[in-house]
Amino acid sequence: MASKRHHYWHANLARCAAGAALCASLMAQAAPQLDYVPGPRLPEDLVMLPGTGWVLASSMSLDKSVAGGLYAVSGQGAPLREVYPANAGSAAWDRQTYADCPGPPDPRQASPHGIYLHSRSQVHTLYAVNHGGRESIEVFKVELADGAPRLSWLGCVLLPADAYPNGVAALPSGGFVVTKMYDRSSPDGALAMLRGEATGALLKWTPAAGWSTLPGPALAAPNGIELSPDGRSAYVASWTRRQLLRVPLAGQADKPAALDLDFMPDNLRGLPDGSVLVTGQATDPAGLVACVHKGQNCPAGFKVVVVSPQMTARELYRSDDAQFTMPTVALPVGDELWIGSVRGSQIARVRSALPASRP
């Protein structure tokens, strides 16, 4: 793959192992300058389906007139495939686990945001933050049918009425943790978040106890989330504060450990050695708001860093490409990084300095 002069790798990272969109004006299409994988519209988040050549992508909807969905994207050249709502398997509602779910989501209003794949003993469960028709976590069983992924809806959990969710991560013992970016019941909630105020929290749901707010200080625009390998801590992207936080989940009210960054961190992806890939926009909240108000295709530039369990960061990749904007996630796929965005309908790909991951 040809490289661009405005992209570069830091060679000393070869030894490493592996926002929220609030305004419809952020939907402007990007003119590709990088190598791309054809993706769905607004591929905000990406996860790898282990042991296959498939990546699952959320297609977020920022315009109520256009529904989103979930898609399977091949790392081996197969056509893009919609797996929800189209081509979904028969609903297999787990009424015992999701007893308070009112029923399947309206496919005409689908708007998945952050997604998380939990795999155990060849059983794959996909959790998706949904803004379409209801604020909820939608849960799907993932199987292969004729060599392609197929999703069957298992149930849902409705968010508390005041919560605007962004990311979700499944707990090893059952249930999940969700990032609440701001209070939807506050008329100033979204604006306060963009000012960098501590508007958010981590919410925990289990089938036995339902919803609870994890102890600790309020968080500034918590965005992406990933769990430590032992499940005792969560890594959380504090989007407007430009920090990565490590937050204990085992009941402690300790202050989170914080790592300052020079970009706005969005989605997170865990790596086999416990490190975390952090991707986000190379700007600050003021710069983001300013360029949106001007109607420009911005902000330009993004970064991907890998953060160790000791909370030290190494820059893995950066770009100042003015065309590929508002990137949100990086995912290792083979010997490449695939980079999703809340703009356009393409997934960028760049050569990875990480050891190759098996697709």
Side-chain angles (χ1 to χ4, degrees), residues 9-300:
W9 293 102
H10 284 234
N12 64 346
L13 293 183
R15 62 182 181 271
C16 292
L22 301 176
C23 305
S25 57
L26 293 180
M27 294 170 58
Q29 297 290 318
Q33 291 186 349
L34 302 172
D35 280 354
Y36 284 88
V37 178
R41 181 176 178 271
L42 310 186
E44 201 276 342
D45 207 0
L46 309 172
V47 295
M48 172 67 79
L49 184 58
T52 75
W54 294 97
V55 169
L56 299 177
S58 63
S59 173
M60 189 174 178
S61 173
L62 299 179
D63 181 350
K64 291 184 179 180
S65 66
V66 182
L70 296 165
Y71 288 77
V73 188
S74 174
Q76 300 174 353
L80 178 70
R81 179 179 175 85
E82 184 177 349
V83 292
Y84 181 82
N87 299 308
S90 300
W93 189 355
D94 180 353
R95 294 175 180 267
Q96 180 175 355
T97 303
Y98 306 106
D100 294 330
C101 178
D106 182 351
R108 298 168 298 179
Q109 301 185 67
S111 182
H113 195 165
I115 56 178
Y116 190 91
L117 187 71
H118 180 65
S119 299
R120 178 179 294 175
S121 301
Q122 303 302 311
V123 176
H124 307 295
T125 306
L126 185 74
Y127 298 84
V129 172
N130 172 54
H131 303 296
R134 61 194 188 192
E135 297 294 328
S136 59
I137 305 300
E138 305 293 338
V139 188
F140 301 87
K141 180 180 181 180
V142 185
E143 302 173 287
L144 286 180
D146 298 324
R150 182 178 64 184
L151 269 57
S152 300
W153 181 81
L154 291 177
C156 74
V157 180
L158 301 185
L159 269 295
D162 65 347
Y164 181 88
N166 187 306
V168 59
L171 294 165
S173 58
F176 44 78
V177 181
V178 176
T179 53
K180 171 188 172 182
M181 292 195 83
Y182 63 91
D183 188 336
R184 295 175 60 237
S185 67
S186 169
D188 193 39
L191 292 177
M193 178 191 71
L194 289 173
R195 290 194 297 264
E197 297 177 19
T199 58
L202 293 186
L203 306 180
K204 178 182 177 181
W205 180 87
T206 64
W211 286 109
S212 61
T213 299
L214 291 176
L219 306 176
N223 193 317
I225 184 169
E226 183 59 271
L227 300 187
S228 61
D230 61 9
R232 294 180 56 83
S233 299
Y235 294 93
V236 181
S238 180
W239 189 55
T240 53
R241 291 278 176 88
R242 305 206 302 178
Q243 291 181 325
L244 180 71
L245 307 176
R246 188 178 63 225
V247 180
L249 298 180
Q252 307 99 313
D254 300 336
K255 183 177 180 180
L259 174 66
D260 291 332
L261 303 167
D262 62 353
F263 62 95
M264 296 177 70
D266 209 295
N267 294 334
L268 310 179
R269 281 291 161 258
L271 303 175
D273 70 342
S275 299
V276 178
L277 275 182
V278 186
T279 306
Q281 306 90 40
T283 186
D284 56 25
L288 176 67
V289 171
C291 70
V292 168
H293 284 171
K294 293 177 182 177
Q296 297 174 348
N297 185 31
C298 56

Side-chain angles (χ1 to χ4, degrees), residues 293-359:
H293 284 171
K294 293 177 182 177
Q296 297 174 348
N297 185 31
C298 56
F302 66 90
K303 290 189 178 182
V304 181
V305 301
V306 59
V307 177
S308 73
Q310 293 75 38
M311 296 290 283
T312 59
R314 294 175 180 261
E315 187 175 295
L316 188 64
Y317 182 80
R318 72 165 65 179
S319 167
D320 60 3
D321 192 324
Q323 300 304 313
F324 186 67
T325 58
M326 284 300 292
T328 49
V329 63
L331 178 73
V333 179
D335 61 354
E336 298 176 333
L337 285 180
W338 286 18
I339 301 166
S341 171
V342 76
R343 284 184 173 170
S345 58
Q346 304 279 7
I347 298 169
R349 61 181 188 181
V350 294
R351 290 292 179 187
S352 174
L354 299 169
S357 59
R358 295 187 180 274

